Amino acid sequence: MIKKLGIPKEVKKDEGRVSLIPEHITQFTGLADIFVETNAGLGSGFTDEDYQSAGAKIVPTAHELYDISEIICKVKEPQEQEFELLNSSHVIFGYLHLASNLSLTKMLIEKKLTAIATEMIMDEDEYPLLIPMSKIAGNLAVQKGMQFLEYSSAGKGLLLSSISDERNSKVTVIGCGEVGKSSIHKSIQIGAFVTAIDVNENILKELKNKYGENISTHISGSDEATEAIRTADLVVGAVLLPGRKPPIVVTQEDINQMEKGSVIVDVAIDQGGCVEGVTPNTHSEPFEIRNGVIVSAIANLPGAVPKTSSIELSTNLQKYVDNLLIENWFEEYSKSENLKPSLQIHSGLLLSEEVAESLSLSLSKLV
């Protein structure tokens, strides 16, 4: 039986990405009818005509797309204006980050639909759909930090990049996974001195061996780490616990001790944030100022570069869509060690241990 897969236009504020680009949907011919909401790809540089040429059918409204489609292939989690469009026959396939969103989780449970968090798909102990967005976010964290340090943004008026042999700017990166490593590499490339903070000594040793005198490393929670946070020009919070809320690694007291005009970019905001008291920002209102320190927590940071992000996302996402297009897809999906962690809600049941623990909800198991 041919499945019906819908690609909606993202409605999250300042979100221009699209889940699948035209060149990646042709492979599903014969397996699924592809429906694309009009202008869904426009923010990423793909027109309705591009999708039609690839074999998709363009529908004029979100209501019609959701009514027709069984599988809703999204970038970001459903927004409030989309809630009424969802029903129990839907399979939502996208970045959900439920561990920081109690109201969304409860709504998805009440709808009795199936919700698959693509950020939790695994392949040989890695998260192939999280890695490309993490690398983009790590680069953008430094790029945004450079912008916010400018005088016009109420920053301290410091050029993060080096124009001489003097390294006159300091970047502290907390959490050295894919986001952190990308931020570290970008910062060193432009000539900043970097301090890396992590709980894993082996990762810190690898970074020290790679970058030598351009980097210092400290174990998270140490006095040296605290000092590195408080004296930095730019702090990048890049802590990630897959599927769970991250710990608070930058406190309000840390912020109070920082020089006015310094910048903090919390890249962990999609999972709840790693800066004390942080609330999500948008690309159009990208930061708040606390005690003279700029704190930015843009929830969909890779959305700043939707064309780059959509191509990277679609390139990886396409490899997993066909798992939903076979007749007994749920039985096979739920038995796969790599795919099962992403199957978070089904028929009113919360199946994710990480989400249940983070939100203090009851965990269910499939029988």
Side-chain angles (χ1 to χ4, degrees):
M1 182 178 176
I2 299 292
K3 298 291 184 73
K4 293 177 169 57
L5 185 148
I7 301 172
K9 180 177 172 62
E10 298 293 323
V11 296
K12 190 179 181 79
K13 186 173 175 60
D14 301 323
E15 181 57 76
R17 288 175 289 178
V18 66
S19 58
L20 289 169
I21 65 175
E23 71 177 86
H24 293 151
I25 66 173
T26 56
Q27 64 187 293
F28 304 124
T29 301
L31 296 173
D33 290 330
I34 309 293
F35 300 92
V36 179
E37 184 181 349
T38 186
N39 295 330
L42 210 55
S44 300
F46 302 104
T47 66
D48 288 351
E49 291 73 23
D50 294 330
Y51 280 101
Q52 286 175 318
S53 297
K57 299 173 184 177
I58 304 299
V59 296
T61 67
H63 280 85
E64 185 172 341
L65 181 99
Y66 280 81
D67 282 345
I68 296 171
S69 306
E70 304 161 72
I71 302 164
I72 308 297
C73 194
K74 286 179 57 58
V75 179
K76 294 299 292 180
E77 71 282 357
Q79 302 299 294
E80 189 171 348
Q81 68 204 78
E82 297 173 300
F83 290 178
E84 65 176 9
L85 306 177
L86 298 170
N87 62 60
S88 60
S89 68
H90 283 142
V91 176
I92 304 296
F93 193 62
Y95 294 124
L96 299 181
H97 298 292
L98 295 181
S100 63
N101 199 328
L102 178 61
S103 61
L104 174 62
T105 302
K106 285 185 172 181
M107 184 278 298
L108 295 175
I109 292 171
E110 289 169 3
K111 290 284 184 177
K112 298 186 182 301
L113 49 65
T114 299
I116 296 174
T118 52
E119 71 271 15
M120 293 302 294
I121 290 174
M122 299 189 69
D123 185 6
E124 297 182 354
D125 297 324
E126 291 189 336
Y127 297 89
L129 288 166
L130 196 58
I131 288 172
M133 294 304 105
S134 296
K135 289 180 177 179
I136 291 171
N139 275 275
L140 283 171
V142 178
Q143 188 170 306
K144 292 290 185 182
M146 293 174 70
Q147 176 188 344
F148 301 152
L149 279 167
E150 294 175 5
Y151 183 74
S152 60
S153 295
K156 59 173 64 174
L158 178 70
L159 186 65
L160 204 60
S161 56
S162 176
I163 57 172
S164 67
D165 292 335
E166 293 295 323
R167 294 185 178 274
N168 58 357
S169 61
K170 294 182 286 185
V171 176
T172 295
V173 178
I174 313 169
C176 300
E178 294 296 339
V179 173
K181 287 177 181 176
S182 294
S183 292
I184 289 167
H185 187 71
K186 179 77 170 179
S187 298
I188 290 174
Q189 271 188 324
I190 63 176
F193 181 78
V194 174
T195 298
I197 298 172
D198 200 274
V199 296
N200 190 319
E201 289 186 13
N202 291 329
I203 289 177
L204 295 177
K205 286 178 181 177
E206 289 174 8
L207 290 168
K208 187 64 178 177
N209 289 337
K210 182 175 182 178
Y211 294 111
E213 64 180 14
N214 295 319
I215 194 170
S216 65
T217 61
H218 302 301
I219 289 292
S220 184
S222 65
D223 291 342
E224 293 84 359
T226 298
E227 180 68 11
I229 292 168
R230 296 180 177 185
T231 59
D233 302 306
L234 169 63
V235 174
V236 176
V239 179
L240 173 67
L241 298 177
R244 302 178 187 270
K245 286 183 178 179
I248 298 300
V249 295
V250 179
T251 66
Q252 184 59 48
E253 183 58 27
D254 292 330
I255 295 172
N256 293 343
Q257 295 296 323
M258 293 176 73
E259 184 180 353
K260 295 187 187 312
S262 300
V263 174
I264 301 169
V265 178
D266 188 346
V267 190
I269 188 60
D270 282 312
Q271 286 291 104
C274 61
V275 176
E276 184 178 0
V278 74
T279 55
N281 299 118
T282 64
H283 290 284
S284 52
E285 297 179 2
F287 58 78
E288 62 174 322
I289 298 178
R290 280 203 244 163
N291 198 31
V293 174
I294 295 168
V295 180
S296 177
I298 300 171
N300 55 333
L301 194 54
V305 286
K307 183 149 193 170
T308 298
S309 296
S310 294
I311 292 170
E312 290 295 327
L313 169 59
S314 182
T315 298
N316 290 276
L317 189 67
Q318 61 166 331
K319 303 170 187 175
Y320 298 94
V321 171
D322 58 359
N323 290 289
L324 308 178
L325 303 182
I326 59 177
E327 278 305 305
N328 59 338
W329 80 268
F330 182 81
E331 181 182 350
E332 295 299 320
Y333 202 102
S334 60
K335 289 191 297 188
S336 168
E337 291 300 316
N338 284 331
L339 300 176
K340 188 177 179 179
S342 68
L343 185 60
Q344 301 204 322
I345 292 173
H346 178 68
S347 297
L349 303 176
L350 176 59
L351 305 176
S352 168
E353 181 179 344
E354 295 86 358
V355 174
E357 181 181 310
S358 295
L359 300 179
S360 299
L361 294 174
S362 297
L363 177 68
S364 300
K365 293 187 180 295
L366 294 171
V367 293

